[in-house]
Amino acid sequence: MMWASRRLPPWAVDALLGAGVTLVVSVAISANQGGRHGPDAVAYLWAVGLGALMFARRRYPVVVLAVTALGLFAYYAAGYPAVGLGVPVAAALFSAAEFGRLVHAVVTGVVVVAVSVFFRLVEGQAFSFVVNYELAGHILLMAAAIALGDSVRSRRSVQEGARRIAELTAQRYRQEADARVHADRLAIARELHDSIGHTTSVISLHADVAREALGRDEAQTRAALDLIKSTATRTMSELRRTVALLRAPDESSRSVVSLSNVGTLWESASAAGIDLEFDVRVGAELPATVDASAFRIVQEAVTNVVKHSRGSRALVTAYDDGSVLHLRVVDDGAGGSVGAGREHGITGRGHGITGMRERAEALGGTLTAGREEPGFVVRAVLPLEEPS
């Protein structure tokens, strides 16, 4: 039955089961054993009816069971040849158990046996024949039908549970994949913002310088244009390295973005009139992710100083204590930089501090930024071991 149900539609399975019931019962009727009169068209029509009930067994298993039992009683009451007990009701008992009506199947089987035994003994049949000879076979056949139906139901339930678990597992994998894609997009956005934002700010600043000096100070104009050219060239190199890192994130490409290269920020800051100083005391080689994130945080903080600070000096401090890396970027903007309000959402346009904080938190660290004497301070604490 289970073999067929995996290859045939439900209605075809029910049709085969109904045809089998009709055939078996018809053969038993044609044997013409016992009864007050021989088989006729009504007897065979009753066999066809038992088979036809199989088409309703899925939706109405209890009704099919009750009609089968009552039809069996009516058949014997009409005096037709004996067809046994287990054979006519086996399919109905199997169906009821298969669709979760185990109690109904057991109760119906007990009632059918009890009623049959009672009336046969009342009619004068020998107790030894009815009880000692036939009863065990009928009970075993009914019990086997019920057990088979319950087994099919149990296995179907297990398969449904396994299918549901597979669906939930696939759904979880899809969610995890979506989360990874989202994280990758955020990482790409931060990488592009940090790698391009700094140099484009410098280019914009010196383009204004060149425009104002044009026709008045040829040397200053030339110096501004030279700086724009060198900055643009460096930006393209940085962009190529970033794209290479996104395509194949290996350690060699990561090492290009390193805290050891923080001195490259001096030129752009100096050109903007900012005296940028460094106090970097890092002992052992930093983990690649920490090293790259530290550089990007310092780069973004210096970019904000160049773009927004009212001061003329800035200090970058970096040191590690063996377990965490401490970063600090402070300017002397006399009470705070112009960009502080923007970065904290007053205009709603800044993403610098948000990006720096995301980088720090991705490594299990923290980042704070705000006005302090003498200006605006960015502090970051980055664990040297990646979070598990």
Side-chain angles (χ1 to χ4, degrees), residues 184 188 191-192 239-250 253-254:
D184 289 343
I188 292 171
E191 198 69 28
L192 291 178
L239 183 58
R240 292 190 190 99
R241 288 194 293 265
T242 301
V243 172
L245 173 61
L246 295 175
R247 288 177 175 174
D250 54 22
S253 58
R254 284 185 182 271

Side-chain angles (χ1 to χ4, degrees), residues 33 60 72 75 83 100 160 162 181 190 222 241 251 262-263 265 291 302 306 311 313 318 337 343 363 386:
Q33 297 294 321
Y60 310 106
L72 180 64
Y75 175 86
V83 292
E160 177 64 21
V181 170
R190 286 196 301 267
R222 187 182 299 277
R241 288 194 293 265
E251 292 300 318
V262 74
L265 304 176
D291 201 10
V302 171
V306 171
R313 297 179 67 251
S337 63
E343 292 297 332
L363 296 174
E386 297 185 18

Side-chain angles (χ1 to χ4, degrees), residues 174-329:
R174 287 194 298 269
Q175 291 173 346
E176 291 177 352
D178 291 341
R180 287 194 295 271
V181 170
H182 181 66
D184 289 343
R185 288 177 177 175
L186 288 179
I188 292 171
R190 286 196 301 267
E191 198 69 28
L192 291 178
H193 177 274
D194 292 344
S195 63
I196 299 177
H198 172 76
T199 49
T200 52
S201 297
V202 174
I203 289 173
S204 176
L205 176 65
H206 288 279
D208 290 338
V209 173
R211 183 178 58 187
E212 293 178 1
L214 189 64
R216 295 188 299 103
D217 189 339
E218 184 177 351
Q220 186 177 11
T221 302
R222 187 182 299 277
L225 291 176
D226 289 341
L227 184 58
I228 289 173
K229 183 178 186 306
S230 64
T231 303
T233 301
R234 190 166 59 249
T235 301
M236 289 304 300
S237 298
E238 179 70 17
L239 183 58
R240 292 190 190 99
R241 288 194 293 265
T242 301
V243 172
L245 173 61
L246 295 175
R247 288 177 175 174
D250 54 22
E251 292 300 318
S252 60
S253 58
R254 284 185 182 271
S255 62
V256 176
V257 181
S258 170
L259 195 60
S260 62
N261 297 326
V262 74
T264 58
L265 304 176
W266 180 86
E267 183 180 358
S268 59
S270 178
I274 303 295
D275 183 11
L276 184 61
E277 298 179 4
F278 300 95
D279 181 13
V280 179
R281 290 168 286 135
V282 178
E285 183 178 355
L286 297 175
T289 52
V290 176
D291 201 10
S293 295
F295 177 84
R296 291 305 190 192
I297 290 173
V298 172
Q299 183 186 51
E300 179 61 30
V302 171
T303 299
N304 286 341
V305 172
V306 171
K307 292 169 62 177
H308 305 302
S309 178
R310 297 170 181 170
S312 59
R313 297 179 67 251
L315 173 64
V316 175
T317 304
Y319 68 93
D320 71 276
D321 59 9
S323 59
V324 296
L325 174 67
H326 298 268
L327 300 175
R328 181 173 179 267
V329 181

